Amino acid sequence: MALSNSQSDDKTNYRVQTKKQIAMFVFGDSVFDPGNNNYINTSTSGIGKADFPPYGETFFPKPTGRHCDGRILPDFAAAYAGLPYWRPYLDPNNHNFIVGANFASAGACALVEDDEDGIPLEVQIDYFKKVSNLLKEQLGEAEAEELLKGAIYYSSIGGVDYTTFIYEDSNVTESQIQDFVNIVVGNITNGVKEIYKVGGRKFAFQNVAPIGCVPGSKQSYNTTGCVESLQTLATMHNSALNFAAEDLASELPGFKYLIFDFFNTLMDRTENPSKYGFKEGDVACCGSGEYRGSATCGSLTSPYELCSNPNEYVYFDLAHATEACNIQLIELLWNGTTNVTWPLNLRQLIELESETEISSNIDRLIDEPVAVSVSNTYE
């Protein structure tokens, strides 16, 4: 069922029909962060945070830490699966980890050394391991293992690695670029294997966005077109991710996956906004400068412009899609054919059955929050 900006919060309207409780664990950067960066120290520039107006205004209607005017893709993925919208994992209140957790952090990188503002992928996976241990304590080993086996592991990571890489050295050689892509994808692969060891079997990968064509890149590099070096890196990463997923599927028994083509689906809307009901694909709704591509949206110290209707824009700020755009993209991820999500879509991946069914005891526990304290810092 299609979602709209006025959609009821009742998830039963479009919940996938399965025989077991679905859990989802989310890893990534600002595209997926529901507000984890509200609970960590980021740089003095504040780029890693979105806990101030006008972020969140379309739906919540207050800032939550999401880099969007409303809901982000993991919110819609959860809604389609019958799960609540995400609270940040680092939120100190009790959590219902039986339905999963969102560890994503704005500024996060696949490589620890690239991170300045966000929580690196490696640390996010450490958080997941802590959650898996809590589930085993709550459910028992067997039921927790089956829950983890049937869960979806949804990730979007790598874009910040590449923007940082080019920013620090714009004169890199082709061989250096390829080596760096291999390292980034290698780190992602290692992270997948760590999750697999804990019990994960169903992985939903979102490839890297057209990072050279977002408003922030065009403005930073003072170009009317896309920044080709960034586009090349994204394309190389996405190709390497395809091969890595195929290798994992052949290497790891029971490993199932999808790759959502975030690059081309967002790129098409950037280049052809009117085709999808938007008026603007180059300029962001919120920010300053020629493309509103600065990191000033909502700034208390720098002037910024804000559009009157975010639904008319592909991008809300310098690099992040509007809720209206996310609504279209989740439809493709959920029900799309192999030209946009392969070899499965998210609905098909969720409906793949585990070898055994989860005990009905989980139904009893879904609404019982897990009492757990989580650290607001990481090593």
Side-chain angles (χ1 to χ4, degrees):
M1 173 179 285
L3 296 173
S4 69
N5 297 78
S6 60
Q7 179 78 43
S8 164
D9 213 19
D10 180 10
K11 312 301 182 300
T12 59
N13 288 340
Y14 40 86
R15 178 173 183 168
V16 64
Q17 298 301 308
T18 65
K19 298 179 181 179
K20 58 183 183 293
Q21 169 61 34
I22 298 166
M24 187 178 294
F25 297 95
V26 181
F27 308 83
D29 53 28
S30 57
V31 178
F32 280 9
D33 184 1
N36 279 306
N37 278 24
N38 295 352
Y39 302 94
I40 67 172
N41 291 324
T42 63
S43 70
T44 55
S45 66
I47 292 174
K49 294 184 184 291
D51 57 345
F52 41 81
Y55 288 106
E57 66 173 15
T58 297
F59 180 78
F60 289 103
K62 60 183 180 179
T64 63
R66 290 163 169 82
H67 288 255
C68 183
D69 60 301
R71 291 163 288 184
I72 54 178
L73 284 170
D75 288 320
F76 291 118
Y80 269 107
L83 306 177
Y85 296 131
W86 297 107
R87 283 195 298 119
Y89 167 73
L90 290 181
D91 184 328
N93 295 306
N94 290 349
H95 289 261
N96 289 326
F97 288 135
I98 289 172
V99 297
N102 187 327
F103 311 101
S105 164
C109 294
L111 306 183
V112 173
E113 55 266 32
D114 286 344
D115 265 293
E116 296 181 359
D117 289 316
I119 303 167
L121 178 62
E122 178 181 308
V123 178
Q124 293 182 34
I125 292 173
D126 286 341
Y127 288 159
F128 162 68
K129 291 177 181 178
K130 292 178 182 178
V131 169
S132 68
N133 289 332
L134 287 166
L135 287 170
K136 290 173 183 177
E137 292 175 10
Q138 185 185 19
L139 302 176
E141 289 278 344
E143 290 190 25
E145 288 176 4
E146 192 57 37
L147 178 65
L148 294 169
K149 183 190 297 183
I152 301 296
Y153 299 85
Y154 184 25
S155 63
S156 174
I157 196 84
V160 182
D161 291 274
Y162 298 120
T163 54
T164 303
F165 179 67
I166 289 296
Y167 179 79
E168 292 178 349
D169 187 358
S170 60
N171 296 315
V172 290
T173 65
E174 185 176 339
S175 62
Q176 288 174 319
I177 290 173
Q178 186 62 67
D179 288 343
F180 186 72
V181 169
N182 291 342
I183 292 170
V184 170
V185 175
N187 266 37
I188 294 171
T189 300
N190 290 337
V192 169
K193 289 180 177 179
E194 288 298 307
I195 296 170
Y196 181 90
K197 288 177 185 176
V198 177
R201 294 296 182 269
K202 299 180 181 181
F203 293 82
F205 301 107
Q206 180 164 294
N207 67 19
V208 167
I211 52 178
C213 298
V214 299
S217 295
K218 292 178 180 178
Q219 186 161 311
S220 294
Y221 287 83
N222 193 27
T223 177
T224 56
C226 298
V227 181
E228 290 307 319
S229 57
L230 288 172
Q231 287 294 90
T232 297
L233 276 165
T235 301
M236 292 173 67
H237 170 92
N238 294 342
S239 177
L241 181 64
N242 289 344
F243 286 116
E246 291 174 359
D247 288 343
L248 287 166
S250 63
E251 177 184 346
L252 304 177
F255 176 89
K256 302 295 182 184
Y257 74 96
L258 68 79
I259 295 179
F260 175 55
D261 193 359
F262 189 48
F263 181 96
N264 282 307
T265 53
L266 185 56
M267 186 68 194
D268 197 17
R269 284 158 177 78
T270 303
E271 293 183 317
N272 306 291
S274 61
K275 178 180 174 183
Y276 299 97
F278 300 107
K279 291 184 177 179
E280 184 57 67
D282 286 324
V283 178
C285 170
C286 184
S288 61
E290 182 178 1
Y291 294 96
R292 293 183 188 151
S294 65
T296 58
C297 181
S299 172
L300 297 175
T301 58
S302 302
Y304 67 92
E305 299 174 82
L306 178 65
C307 71
S308 59
N309 185 2
N311 293 339
E312 296 178 347
Y313 287 72
V314 173
Y315 294 98
F316 183 66
D317 67 5
L318 74 167
H320 306 98
T322 57
E323 178 179 283
C325 184
N326 286 334
I327 287 172
Q328 294 185 10
L329 297 180
I330 197 63
E331 297 276 349
L332 299 176
L333 173 60
W334 184 256
N335 279 318
T337 56
T338 53
N339 63 318
V340 292
T341 174
W342 59 84
L344 302 166
N345 57 40
L346 185 56
R347 177 182 55 79
Q348 292 166 336
L349 186 65
I350 288 175
E351 290 176 344
L352 288 177
E353 294 294 333
S354 300
E355 295 175 4
T356 58
E357 294 300 332
I358 297 175
S359 164
S360 59
N361 287 340
I362 286 184
D363 294 334
R364 169 180 58 83
L365 293 167
I366 291 172
D367 295 321
E368 297 180 12
V370 177
V372 57
S373 108
V374 292
S375 173
N376 292 351
T377 61
Y378 62 88
E379 291 73 39

